[in-house]
Amino acid sequence: MIRFENVTKRYRGTKRPALAGVDFEVERGEFVFLVGASGSGKSSCLRLILREDVPTTGRVAVLGRDLRSLANRKVPYFRRHIGSVFQDFRLLSTKTVFQNVAFTLQVTGSSRGFVQQAVPEALALVGLDGKEKRMPHELSGGEQQRVAIARALVNRPQVLLADEPTGNLDPATSVDIMQLLARINAGGTTVLMATHEAAFVDQMQRRVIELRDGEMVRDETRGGYGDRSMIPQLVPQEERGAAATAAFTAVQEVQRETESLEPLTAEMIASMKAERDAAAPEAAPAVTRTHPIVLPEVDVAELGVADRLGLSAADDDDEVGPTS
Ligand code: ADP
Ligand code: MG
């Protein structure tokens, strides 16, 4: 479905290639995370797939087409099969939700009847039915990203590319968007998502391709991707309360914090103990974690984590749930 064959990308006026010898294949129906630090080459990969750019050497083939031999005039048709969403949503600020989603269809000459049918379907899919007449500035960030996802899906593309789609969203809303993307993938759409939030990715248990300075350093299957039995691991929208989401997020945040701590050396621990013993008991240093917290297997609602963390009362900030 998407194949990179020994792809190198060198931008004009730069010394180091942005991508070097990148080689992978994504099969139909897969969900793949493309991870790596900022500048590692994630967006460059996505631009090559969209044929916004071409490799310096190597080959990119998408949907059975070698993109190097794809004529420029055929590029717009090719792109109809690929939806894309970005960190900054890229909505048209003077158009309504409906018009934003309808826009691509109208530009590509879809009939009025088709637009009237396809746009509400796409909005319902992302949980935004009833918000057709809103303007982008009247929506939360999570809702704006849902509009962008509806727009990307309205042509029923075979592939959805998402470039840091949760980058501008708070952690709880990011969980919602991740679940939406997983649901879209469960419907058969191949999803390739670039993100630098590796801890978040590892939690989702999907295939992970990691780039470092333009080179692939990891391609991990993570237990049965493509196997639909993985999907129910995500808490269904209806059953997932805001409290459960908040709990999940809280655990993730703690994990992120502990992961960013430097590992403690024996000398550091000894000196901390000495300091603690010297200080009055009420001035004892806070507990320092020396190993990451193991996350629960997602179904936090079932585990009652929300209740245990005292987060059950947080239902009032569930601003991106489905509207009815
Ligand atoms: P990521 O999306 O992982 O942050 P990018 O693909 O945007 O990484 O960038 C990879 C490398 O290529 C970076 O060093 C970046 O500065 C460089 N780069 C990206 N786009 C261009 C460009 N149009 N011209 C020159 N250098 C670029
Ligand atoms: Mg990028």
Side-chain angles (χ1 to χ4, degrees), residues 168-300:
N168 279 354
L169 303 175
D170 63 71
T173 309
S174 298
V175 172
D176 288 341
I177 294 295
M178 279 308 317
Q179 290 176 324
L180 175 57
L181 294 176
R183 206 144 47 82
I184 289 161
N185 173 246
T189 310
T190 308
V191 178
L192 182 54
M193 169 174 167
T195 179
H196 62 262
E197 297 188 72
F200 188 56
V201 170
D202 289 341
Q203 169 69 16
M204 305 298 285
Q205 300 282 300
R206 300 306 174 97
R207 181 175 173 193
V208 176
I209 294 175
E210 183 175 350
L211 295 171
R212 195 173 298 156
D213 297 330
E215 289 181 26
M216 262 177 76
V217 294
R218 177 159 74 119
D219 184 355
E220 224 166 37
T221 304
R222 280 284 172 191
Y225 65 90
D227 172 4
R228 290 293 148 78
S229 68
M230 294 299 288
I231 303 302
Q233 272 207 4
L234 293 162
V235 188
Q237 199 83 22
E238 309 75 55
E239 288 160 41
R240 178 191 49 75
T245 304
F248 177 35
T249 305
V251 177
Q252 282 182 326
E253 271 171 2
V254 173
Q255 190 188 39
R256 243 181 247 144
E257 276 167 30
T258 53
E259 273 178 349
S260 64
L261 293 174
E262 270 181 64
L264 294 175
T265 63
E267 295 90 80
M268 284 161 76
I269 294 168
S271 94
M272 278 165 57
K273 277 187 182 154
E275 237 174 75
R276 183 194 60 196
D277 294 345
E282 60 270 22
V287 177
T288 309
R289 294 187 191 286
T290 55
H291 52 83
I293 290 171
V294 178
L295 292 177
E297 282 286 323
V298 180
D299 198 346
V300 286

Side-chain angles (χ1 to χ4, degrees), residues 38-39 41-44 47 87 163-164 194:
S38 184
K42 305 182 295 296
S43 297
S44 296
R47 279 198 299 272
Q87 178 170 353
D163 196 352
E164 315 242 9

Side-chain angles (χ1 to χ4, degrees), residues 4-24:
F4 274 54
E5 289 174 15
N6 199 17
V7 169
T8 292
K9 177 65 194 176
R10 222 177 267 279
Y11 291 105
R12 210 178 287 275
T14 58
K15 281 206 202 88
R16 272 232 318 260
L19 295 173
V22 173
D23 214 82
F24 65 83

Side-chain angles (χ1 to χ4, degrees), residues 30-106:
E30 271 193 284
F31 190 115
V32 182
F33 283 115
L34 194 56
V35 306
S38 184
S40 58
K42 305 182 295 296
S43 297
S44 296
C45 276
L46 298 185
R47 279 198 299 272
L48 293 177
I49 295 168
L50 273 172
R51 211 342 188 104
E52 287 180 359
D53 213 339
V54 290
T56 310
T57 60
R59 205 163 78 106
V60 176
V62 180
L63 302 169
R65 299 168 179 82
D66 180 345
L67 298 192
R68 201 176 276 278
S69 58
L70 185 72
N72 283 337
R73 68 187 160 77
K74 289 195 174 162
V75 170
Y77 300 96
F78 161 72
R79 288 199 188 129
R80 283 187 205 178
H81 300 287
I82 302 176
S84 45
V85 294
F86 304 90
Q87 178 170 353
D88 55 1
F89 320 140
R90 304 195 187 176
L91 299 179
L92 301 164
S93 62
T94 59
K95 291 190 185 290
T96 64
V97 165
F98 187 98
Q99 289 166 338
N100 264 280
V101 178
F103 190 71
T104 355
L105 292 177
Q106 288 160 344

Side-chain angles (χ1 to χ4, degrees), residues 106-171:
Q106 288 160 344
V107 167
T108 53
S110 296
S111 73
R112 207 182 126 79
F114 181 75
V115 172
Q116 292 302 327
Q117 187 196 335
V119 174
E121 272 176 20
L123 286 170
L125 181 72
V126 302
L128 281 181
D129 28 0
K131 303 214 170 168
E132 288 82 355
K133 296 202 172 103
R134 299 275 190 98
M135 300 302 287
H137 74 266
E138 296 173 318
L139 302 173
S140 69
E143 288 171 328
Q144 290 184 49
Q145 190 60 295
R146 283 167 190 269
V147 177
I149 293 170
R151 178 181 58 187
L153 293 179
V154 75
N155 264 323
R156 305 205 169 277
Q158 298 177 62
V159 180
L160 178 64
L161 304 179
D163 196 352
E164 315 242 9
T166 62
N168 279 354
L169 303 175
D170 63 71

